[in-house]
Amino acid sequence: MTALMAGASLPLSAQRLTLSHVITMAQENSLDAQIARYTYLGSYWKYRSFRAELLPSVNLAGSLGNFNHSSVEARDAETGRVNLVDNNSMTNTATFSVDQQIAATGGKVSLQSYLYRLDQFTYHEKTNNSQPLRISYTQPLRSYNALKWEKKTEPVKYQIAEKTYIANMQDITIKVANLFFNVLAAQSDYRQSQQTVNDREKLFELAQKRLRLTTTTKSEVLQMELSLINARMTLNENKITLDDAMYKLFSYLRVTDYERAELVAPEAVPDLVVSTDEVVVKAINNSSHTLEQKLQMLEAQQNLAQAKSTKGMQMTLSSELGFSQKGETLNSAYSRLKDNEIIGLTLSLPIFDWGVAKGKVKMAQANLDVVRTKIEQTHLDYLEELRKTVSQFNAQPLQCRNALRAKEIAMERYDITHRQFEAGAISVTDLNTAQVEMESANAQYISQLKTFWNNYYTLQKSTLYDWLHHEDLRVDFESLRKQ
């Protein structure tokens, strides 16, 4: 079905709406569906940005037209005397680089080309300093490698985002199904109250005729009139309830013109029984539960690794290999290039920190143990909830069949009672009792249908599996990103 825009009218072809119709409309047009899509897109672009960090980056940096006309300090190399001299110069720099981060080691390798130009106007001198090719590598030793951990966690986060989007669609399904059955129940009550008013009007006229023929009493006529008044009051109340339920459903679907809409109840519930073991397998394989637990462990391990990296000696290895030259002209700055090699190791060793680093490690280790224990308990609770959901679902088809049979019996009994009342064999009280039983049975049947589909879609959300068509729930995420 084509998605409806906010404030749209209901297509003529969709004025008799089934449960599947409203679910499709909600998943395409509701505000919750838009929020779910934007949330997914945010996670997608975050993951794309992370993937881009793993690729080489090409950069151009420079400083142009830095003119300086001022007095600057200058120290005499022989006497050490500091003098103020006039500076009248301009500098220009340009650096072209290709940089690549190494996720496995945390290092960074760069390929650069550098040019520096100094113009000293007072002395009419020009100096060009070039490094046509320079390869540098920086490698922290024993330090925290953030990129290495992100390479582990970010793909898991994105997989969770995909699973979460599908689960959010099932949340929309559950919500709109409840709204659908609320309207269905209100619609059924309203139609029943309309029929009741029509019946009571006819029976009231019949009672008045019997009173004129002295075949009934004044009390019976008054009781029938009271029953008619109560039926009319119930009709008005049911109309208000129906209007409110309709508004809640169609405002959620973002449809304003729904006056002629009519909801069609599911004819029957499928005779479906699911296996607890199969449900557990599908839930573990398909839902985000396992991925979320994996991410929690990774983040706890990441925090521990970061705490350990701050303890003890810190070292950074820096190296550079290339060519350089200087000259008054560009040609001379790029001629007869000289070797340029730099290598060094920087060290940092805390002598005494009062146990701060050790305390951070112990805290991170304790947090890891807590997370591991919580994951185990959460998993047990998760399995128990799945078994409970399966048990409730498997019991519901029988409940629906029993409710349907009760509805048929109550309707048949009411018809018999109605004919008996017309024949003058029973009182108004007996007729009202039969009517209450019929209305209660009808409401109970719709309630059981609502419970069945609520349980089914809850099971579908837990497993991300369509148990009616025996296939995993899938989304074309590429098309979703292009919308």
Side-chain angles (χ1 to χ4, degrees):
M1 182 181 295
T2 303
L4 300 172
M5 299 304 293
S9 299
L10 197 64
L12 291 175
S13 59
Q15 288 178 358
R16 284 179 55 84
L17 296 176
T18 63
L19 179 58
S20 61
H21 286 151
V22 297
I23 288 174
T24 301
M25 293 168 65
Q27 290 183 346
E28 291 178 348
N29 200 53
S30 68
L31 293 177
D32 283 344
Q34 292 190 23
I35 292 173
R37 175 175 175 264
Y38 295 143
T39 302
Y40 162 73
L41 289 177
S43 299
Y44 168 74
W45 286 110
K46 183 175 182 294
Y47 179 66
R48 279 286 301 271
S49 297
F50 160 73
R51 295 294 300 174
E53 292 179 5
L54 300 177
L55 302 175
S57 61
V58 181
N59 305 288
L60 178 63
S63 176
L64 303 179
N66 289 324
F67 178 71
N68 188 339
H69 187 190
S70 62
S71 296
V72 297
E73 292 183 353
R75 183 180 296 273
D76 189 288
E78 297 181 356
T79 66
R81 181 178 179 181
V82 176
N83 299 311
L84 291 176
V85 299
D86 290 336
N87 178 37
N88 186 17
S89 64
M90 183 170 65
T91 59
N92 293 275
T93 63
T95 303
F96 177 81
S97 66
V98 179
D99 305 314
Q100 173 67 63
Q101 295 187 14
I102 311 300
T105 63
K108 179 180 179 180
V109 60
S110 298
L111 177 64
Q112 299 176 343
S113 180
Y114 171 79
L115 177 64
Y116 171 85
R117 178 185 174 94
L118 172 64
D119 290 271
Q120 300 185 80
F121 301 114
T122 301
Y123 306 106
H124 304 287
E125 291 183 359
K126 300 178 180 178
T127 304
N128 293 280
N129 183 18
S130 73
Q131 288 184 306
L133 181 63
R134 179 173 64 185
I135 301 175
S136 64
Y137 182 72
T138 303
Q139 177 60 60
L141 304 175
R142 299 190 68 256
S143 67
Y144 172 65
N145 187 350
L147 190 60
K148 174 183 176 181
W149 282 101
E150 288 178 358
K151 196 172 181 181
K152 295 180 180 180
T153 59
E154 291 302 320
V156 177
K157 289 180 180 179
Y158 178 64
Q159 292 178 55
I160 291 175
E162 289 187 332
K163 303 288 187 181
T164 300
Y165 175 81
I166 302 175
N168 287 339
M169 289 295 102
Q170 300 312 302
D171 282 332
I172 293 172
T173 297
I174 293 171
K175 183 173 183 178
V176 79
N178 286 329
L179 293 174
F180 175 88
F181 281 104
N182 289 344
V183 174
L184 204 62
Q187 184 176 271
S188 176
D189 291 343
Y190 178 67
R191 290 175 178 175
Q192 182 61 50
S193 59
Q194 284 180 315
Q195 184 62 41
T196 300
V197 168
N198 292 335
D199 289 345
R200 292 299 182 269
E201 288 175 347
K202 294 177 182 178
L203 294 176
F204 179 58
E205 292 177 2
L206 179 60
Q208 288 177 318
K209 291 179 181 179
R210 288 178 178 174
L211 180 61
R212 289 193 295 268
L213 296 174
T214 68
T215 57
T216 189
T217 64
K218 181 66 174 178
S219 176
E220 289 284 340
V221 175
L222 291 176
Q223 191 174 6
M224 178 54 66
E225 184 177 5
L226 179 60
S227 178
L228 173 59
I229 293 172
N230 290 335
R232 287 171 176 169
M233 293 174 63
T234 300
L235 175 63
N236 292 333
E237 292 172 356
N238 289 343
K239 182 63 169 67
I240 294 173
T241 302
L242 175 59
D243 290 343
D244 182 61
M246 291 278 283
Y247 174 79
K248 289 180 179 178
L249 172 62
F250 286 100
S251 63
Y252 186 73
L253 300 177
R254 303 174 73 200
V255 174
T256 56
D257 185 8
Y258 54 86
E259 294 299 324
R260 291 181 290 175
E262 178 185 358
L263 303 191
V264 181
E267 294 182 358
V269 299
D271 189 11
L272 177 65
V273 176
V274 297
S275 164
T276 301
D277 293 339
E278 188 177 2
V279 168
V280 169
V281 170
K282 291 295 183 184
I284 296 299
N285 292 338
N286 291 356
S287 73
S288 63
H289 171 74
T290 303
L291 293 172
E292 288 170 352
Q293 291 192 318
K294 179 180 179 181
L295 180 61
Q296 290 175 20
M297 280 297 298
L298 284 174
E299 289 178 339
Q301 293 169 351
Q302 179 181 6
N303 292 335
L304 178 59
Q306 186 173 11
K308 287 182 176 180
S309 68
T310 62
K311 185 180 178 182
M313 181 181 293
Q314 304 296 308
M315 296 181 289
T316 302
L317 175 66
S318 300
S319 60
E320 179 181 309
L321 174 65
F323 303 96
S324 65
Q325 184 57 279
K326 62 180 180 180
E328 294 185 358
T329 64
L330 284 177
N331 287 336
S332 61
Y334 283 91
S335 301
R336 299 179 180 179
L337 299 176
K338 300 178 180 179
D339 292 343
N340 185 60
E341 298 92 13
I342 301 174
I343 187 169
L345 183 67
T346 60
L347 305 176
S348 174
L349 177 62
I351 302 301
F352 192 71
D353 65 352
W354 305 95
V356 173
K358 181 179 179 181
K360 290 182 178 180
V361 173
K362 293 295 184 181
M363 289 171 56
Q365 181 63 59
N367 181 66
L368 176 60
D369 294 336
V370 169
V371 169
R372 184 181 291 110
T373 304
K374 285 185 175 180
I375 284 176
E376 184 178 354
Q377 182 61 55
T378 302
H379 185 65
L380 293 175
D381 295 341
Y382 178 75
L383 295 179
E384 179 61 28
E385 187 63 27
L386 284 176
R387 292 186 177 93
K388 181 180 177 181
T389 300
V390 172
S391 177
Q392 292 175 339
F393 175 77
N394 286 338
Q396 198 56 35
L398 179 59
Q399 292 289 90
C400 290
R401 289 193 292 271
N402 289 336
L404 178 59
R405 179 56 185 157
K407 173 186 173 182
E408 294 169 349
I409 293 173
M411 291 178 63
E412 185 177 357
R413 180 176 180 275
Y414 177 76
D415 290 339
I416 294 172
T417 305
H418 189 278
R419 290 194 295 270
Q420 289 177 336
F421 179 81
E422 289 179 336
I426 61 173
S427 66
V428 177
T429 301
D430 295 328
L431 180 64
N432 288 338
T433 300
Q435 179 190 344
V436 170
E437 291 176 351
M438 180 181 66
E439 292 174 351
S440 176
N442 188 53
Q444 179 65 20
Y445 174 65
I446 295 178
S447 176
Q448 293 297 333
L449 282 179
K450 178 180 178 180
T451 301
F452 172 84
W453 287 108
N454 188 287
N455 289 347
Y456 173 77
Y457 290 123
T458 300
L459 182 66
Q460 187 167 269
K461 176 191 173 184
S462 300
T463 58
L464 300 188
Y465 185 78
D466 186 343
W467 294 93
L468 292 176
H469 300 93
H470 305 290
E471 60 184 11
D472 292 336
L473 298 179
R474 301 186 184 279
V475 171
D476 186 351
F477 287 104
E478 184 175 353
S479 298
L480 182 66
R481 294 192 290 266
K482 293 179 181 179
Q483 290 181 7

